[in-house]
Amino acid sequence: MRGSKLIKKILYYESVDSTNDVARRSAGYGLLVIAERQESGRGRRGRVWISPYGGLWFSIVIRPLHNESHVPLALYNLMAGIAVVEAIRKLGLDAHLKWPNDVIVNNKKVCGILGESMRDRIIIGIGINVNVDLQEFPIDLRGSVTSLMDELGRRVDREDLLVNIIRGVEDICFRFDKDEILTKWKYFDITLNRRVKVFSNGKVIEGFAIDIADDGSLLVVADGGELMKFSSCDVSIR
Ligand code: BTN
């Protein structure tokens, strides 16, 4: 990470509870926390994130961007998603984004992103199934997840991938151009202009996903005709 404007210090672990939790417990910005495996990896909405050996499990701690207005956490997630998709595409795979920030290859999830804000810090946790053995995943998940190794038929250099992602995040964060972020995100997206089922606050809403708002939330026209805005929920594409 020499010369990186984003990363000044690296904490490397063989095994941790969760790299996001290590990041939360550490002070300061410019930190990269990386682990070979996580014992209590966390996904969005309190879910467990299975993190066996062979994956790329890391968190970066950055200083919130101070632009003309407050930058919502969802936009950091979108920026990270773009950086991951671009890095995976460089490997030759046709990666896409599913709102809010799942990275999908061949209709299966290969990466998840967990952005968290903490007082004056933003923590972006990224988990990628790089060279993991999919047998390590519970049976009910096996049909919906994949690994880069499985998709490419070869092992992937995790260090190269990590460096490409960090450079991508750095690039897009420091340039911070909201229009560019939304345009890029929509270019890689597979959620928009599709019928969707949204799971929000215990309710299921069916409708048509029409756009991503400036703050990163999803705009859906529900079947009853109402325009609805979602900032944090699960979405399935029909
Ligand atoms: C999701 O799709 O639900 C988000 C998954 C985020 C997983 C990563 S792995 C590194 C970091 N540490 C965690 O405990 N979670 C994130």
Side-chain angles (χ1 to χ4, degrees), residues 126-178:
I126 301 180
I128 311 177
N129 301 330
V130 183
N131 302 318
V132 297
D133 178 357
L134 295 175
Q135 301 299 318
E136 303 251 12
F137 287 79
I139 287 184
D140 57 318
L141 279 184
R142 284 189 207 157
S144 56
V145 298
T146 190
S147 74
L148 297 179
M149 179 168 71
D150 269 64
E151 296 300 325
L152 284 165
R154 64 170 172 85
R155 293 180 74 78
V156 170
D157 187 319
R158 289 180 303 162
E159 207 175 308
D160 280 354
L161 182 63
L162 174 68
V163 169
N164 274 329
I165 294 169
I166 301 283
R167 291 221 174 101
V169 174
E170 191 166 279
D171 197 46
I172 199 161
C173 266
F174 282 101
R175 225 177 30 245
F176 191 81
D177 173 342
K178 206 186 264 184

Side-chain angles (χ1 to χ4, degrees), residues 17-21 38 40-45 47 49 51 56-59 101-102 109 111-114 125-128:
D17 46 1
S18 147
T19 56
N20 266 38
D21 291 342
Q38 300 183 112
S40 319
R42 294 192 286 112
R44 292 192 317 112
R45 304 171 76 73
R47 279 189 289 254
W49 182 260
S51 321
L56 192 49
W57 324 120
F58 67 101
S59 304
N101 44 33
D102 290 349
K109 181 162 170 170
C111 162
I113 296 166
L114 181 66
I126 301 180
I128 311 177

Side-chain angles (χ1 to χ4, degrees), residues 71-224:
V71 177
L73 183 62
L75 281 184
Y76 292 96
N77 285 327
L78 298 190
M79 288 192 272
I82 292 167
V84 172
V85 164
E86 290 185 331
I88 291 181
R89 284 186 170 219
K90 280 195 189 138
L91 297 170
L93 288 172
D94 194 22
H96 289 273
L97 285 162
K98 174 173 168 278
W99 191 90
N101 44 33
D102 290 349
V103 180
I104 306 289
V105 174
N106 279 334
N107 293 318
K108 293 182 178 175
K109 181 162 170 170
V110 76
C111 162
I113 296 166
L114 181 66
E116 296 181 304
S117 61
M118 228 190 117
R119 293 188 300 276
D120 54 348
R121 290 184 280 157
I122 301 288
I123 297 167
I124 303 174
I126 301 180
I128 311 177
N129 301 330
V130 183
N131 302 318
V132 297
D133 178 357
L134 295 175
Q135 301 299 318
E136 303 251 12
F137 287 79
I139 287 184
D140 57 318
L141 279 184
R142 284 189 207 157
S144 56
V145 298
T146 190
S147 74
L148 297 179
M149 179 168 71
D150 269 64
E151 296 300 325
L152 284 165
R154 64 170 172 85
R155 293 180 74 78
V156 170
D157 187 319
R158 289 180 303 162
E159 207 175 308
D160 280 354
L161 182 63
L162 174 68
V163 169
N164 274 329
I165 294 169
I166 301 283
R167 291 221 174 101
V169 174
E170 191 166 279
D171 197 46
I172 199 161
C173 266
F174 282 101
R175 225 177 30 245
F176 191 81
D177 173 342
K178 206 186 264 184
D179 291 340
E180 181 201 346
I181 295 165
L182 292 170
T183 304
K184 274 197 168 177
W185 203 94
K186 288 176 197 177
Y187 177 74
F188 294 134
D189 158 81
I190 52 164
T191 319
L192 298 180
N193 303 316
R194 304 277 291 267
R195 280 197 60 74
V196 289
K197 226 184 206 181
V198 180
F199 303 86
S200 172
N201 295 326
K203 290 195 193 125
V204 183
I205 296 120
E206 296 198 32
F208 198 74
I210 57 162
D211 208 357
I212 305 289
D214 267 16
D215 62 358
S217 50
L218 181 69
L219 298 175
V220 173
V221 176
D223 285 349

